[in-house]
Amino acid sequence: MVEVMEFDAVVVGGGPGGSMTARDMARAGLDVLMIEKRQEIGTPVRCGEGIAKIWLDEVGIEPSNRWIALEVNGARIVAPNGQYVDLTEELAGNETGFVVHRDAFDRALAEDAIRAGAKTMLKCSATDVIKDERGFVVGVKAKQWGKEMELRAPVVIGADGFESQVGRWAGIDTKITAKDVNTCLQYELVGIDIDRFYNEFHIGSMAPGGYVWIFNKSSDSANVGIGVNLGMVKEPGDVKRYLDRFIEDQPRLSKGQNVETVAGAVSVGLPLESVTTDGLMLVGDAARMIDPLTGGGVSNACIAGQVAARVAKEAHEAGDFSREFFQRYEEGWRAKIEDQLFRNYIAKEKLLELSDDTINKIIDALQGYKIERITTADILRMVQERYPEIMDELADLL
Ligand code: FAD
């Protein structure tokens, strides 16, 4: 027999986006259930574990030693020839500030949601959405330990990550092409030499269409990972070969030992054109809110989750769960993060075209400058002074 349960809202997915939405809905007085298909919140980790600090205050997350592995001062952008520039944390994008233990971070966010009054069900997979006679999403079908259930609610949140199905089930266009996906592999290496104050981003042909990251977890350990554009992967195993070669080429890394391997994918395209339909809002990776340049998505998932929670509360007050009403969510999250997503998408597309030689020249042109506040225009001016011959290649960045 199918058990039927009713709530004010059901959140599918217990990642940062889901927990943040559930927490704020519960704080607003809604009866909210968050379901997670895995048996434990936060594991297995699929993340480089780098986050910025600046947004934590905005969404009301208190930094905690429970989940901070290391605090870093900035990002080191390394050219193929090894030359680099250091960016301060403020300029370094959304993966530099803290390196975290993502399992503990996700667990802490879920606990905050529970303390606010949210209910959770683990090992509980959504298998489809439920629609009413008007076509409104009014809940999800789910399975927990083989038991089928209907979790009914006038607001459903799809926070089910990059491989999201909820949006597709509800009729949202979620098609994605290989060019908009980076496939990733990461090792947590222990016993290596790093500058613990800087997370490293290596750009160039060592990681076609992506980059290699070294996100420090302690003074002698780091997540060393690679993202490669799926459209540029020729054979299975290519991504591992790229990462292994990068590590082998650097004795400071190759002397380390791996304690954890992580594989996954991130979207590097633009966010979905529409992330809502009647009765449903998508949050975080499910809506492709990930930064296309860095692949960082934790902050955006949380920021959007907060907006979704506010709009869900307003929808309950108005008794209106239509797609038209949920435009408030579209406008809200886009006002907060869409500009940056667009800017970084353009920068990422440009980066795809640059040769190693051009990247070497750009980084070289920036040598000797104190990079505390910098705009694309500043970079172009510096490059123009030193390497006017590559300006044509960069012109469209203007
Ligand atoms: P997720 O964290 O993916 O959570 C979705 C949850 O939904 C999962 O727990 C999943 O089990 C659950 N779920 C899925 N389907 C169902 C279902 N049918 N029923 C119930 N539950 C379901 N971001 C950063 O900010 N910094 C980084 O350093 C970084 N590094 C990364 C490295 C790699 C290799 C990868 C793959 C990603 C990285 N990201 C990073 C991206 C980051 O992990 C995501 O942007 C972030 O987790 C998005 O949060 P979310 O809540 O939207 O989705």
Side-chain angles (χ1 to χ4, degrees):
M1 210 181 77
V2 178
E3 188 178 354
V4 179
M5 287 181 252
E6 296 203 5
F7 304 90
D8 293 334
V10 170
V11 177
V12 180
S19 285
M20 184 60 57
T21 315
R23 184 199 74 178
D24 278 21
M25 282 177 169
R27 283 184 183 170
L30 298 183
D31 179 22
V32 52
L33 170 72
M34 179 171 84
I35 65 169
E36 167 54 54
K37 72 176 176 188
R38 301 190 280 194
Q39 62 193 34
E40 197 177 341
I41 298 279
T43 56
V45 170
R46 281 202 289 181
C47 190
E49 304 185 302
I51 61 170
K53 288 183 215 160
I54 190 151
W55 60 281
L56 293 169
D57 190 41
E58 181 188 338
V59 300
I61 299 175
E62 187 75 31
S64 158
N65 286 336
R66 181 180 163 198
W67 48 258
I68 296 171
L70 204 68
E71 198 170 344
V72 292
N73 294 347
R76 178 159 295 168
I77 313 296
V78 189
N81 65 4
Q83 237 182 346
Y84 60 81
V85 287
D86 288 339
L87 302 181
T88 56
E89 182 220 325
E90 295 76 38
L91 288 172
N94 53 11
E95 288 184 308
T96 300
F98 291 129
V99 182
V100 302
H101 302 292
R102 246 313 277 280
D103 46 357
F105 177 82
D106 283 19
R107 181 83 73 101
L109 296 196
E111 288 176 10
D112 281 351
I114 292 165
R115 290 197 183 99
K119 296 168 182 143
T120 57
M121 286 171 77
L122 301 187
K123 214 153 169 59
C124 181
S125 285
T127 55
D128 203 349
V129 296
I130 304 168
K131 288 187 176 178
D132 69 7
E133 60 293 342
R134 299 165 302 165
F136 276 49
V137 174
V138 289
V140 294
K141 293 182 182 170
K143 223 178 196 177
Q144 189 189 38
W145 301 108
K147 188 172 160 42
E148 290 186 22
M149 48 190 89
E150 287 189 7
L151 307 170
R152 291 184 165 265
V155 179
V156 171
I157 302 294
D160 50 337
F162 172 69
E163 286 137 29
S164 172
Q165 306 252 52
V166 172
R168 187 173 58 81
W169 292 331
I172 293 176
D173 183 1
T174 59
K175 281 194 286 299
I176 190 163
T177 58
K179 161 186 162 305
D180 284 338
V181 177
N182 274 16
T183 169
C184 308
L185 183 68
Q186 171 183 286
Y187 307 138
E188 184 174 342
L189 295 184
V190 178
I192 58 177
D193 292 336
I194 42 171
D195 178 346
R196 57 121 20 259
F197 295 107
Y198 284 89
N199 280 344
E200 294 180 25
F201 296 74
H202 294 251
I203 47 177
S205 59
M206 83 291 279
Y211 66 94
V212 172
W213 64 85
I214 302 177
F215 292 172
N216 307 330
K217 290 206 76 174
S218 72
S219 54
D220 79 340
S221 68
N223 291 326
V224 181
I226 191 168
V228 176
N229 192 268
L230 194 55
M232 298 179 172
V233 174
K234 294 191 183 79
E235 286 174 32
D238 270 359
V239 180
K240 182 171 184 318
R241 272 190 287 279
Y242 281 119
L243 180 59
D244 290 347
R245 193 179 310 143
F246 177 84
I247 291 168
E248 275 157 29
D249 284 350
Q250 303 204 36
R252 66 181 183 122
L253 300 177
S254 61
K255 66 181 186 160
Q257 295 298 312
N258 183 17
V259 292
E260 189 173 358
T261 302
V262 168
V266 292
S267 61
V268 291
L270 290 169
L272 293 179
E273 246 167 63
S274 165
V275 305
T276 52
T277 189
D278 298 315
L280 178 88
M281 295 183 263
L282 297 180
V283 166
D285 281 14
R288 313 251 166 86
M289 292 172 180
I290 212 157
D291 182 326
L293 183 62
T294 66
V298 172
S299 54
N300 288 347
C302 292
I303 290 166
Q306 276 213 307
V307 181
R310 174 177 55 76
V311 173
K313 171 71 175 169
E314 290 167 4
H316 269 278
E317 283 165 358
D320 186 348
F321 306 99
S322 66
R323 186 179 168 192
E324 289 69 39
F325 194 90
F326 289 165
Q327 285 312 302
R328 293 178 185 208
Y329 172 57
E330 295 276 10
E331 283 159 21
W333 76 261
R334 288 181 197 277
K336 283 176 186 276
I337 60 176
E338 194 176 45
D339 272 359
Q340 193 207 11
L341 293 178
F342 269 109
R343 263 202 313 275
N344 286 359
Y345 177 74
I346 291 165
K348 187 265 312 188
E349 290 287 293
K350 187 73 230 172
L351 209 55
L352 285 178
E353 295 168 11
L354 300 183
S355 65
D356 283 0
D357 187 47
T358 302
I359 297 170
N360 288 339
K361 284 177 173 159
I362 294 172
I363 300 291
D364 186 55
L366 301 180
Q367 298 300 304
Y369 288 90
K370 207 160 186 262
I371 303 183
E372 279 168 351
R373 302 186 66 78
I374 199 167
T375 63
T376 311
D378 293 332
I379 296 176
L380 292 173
R381 192 173 33 73
M382 295 172 198
V383 174
Q384 169 128 44
E385 279 169 19
R386 198 82 204 268
Y387 295 106
E389 72 276 14
I390 64 169
M391 284 310 286
D392 276 356
E393 252 186 275
L394 305 178
D396 46 350
L397 273 185
L398 284 166

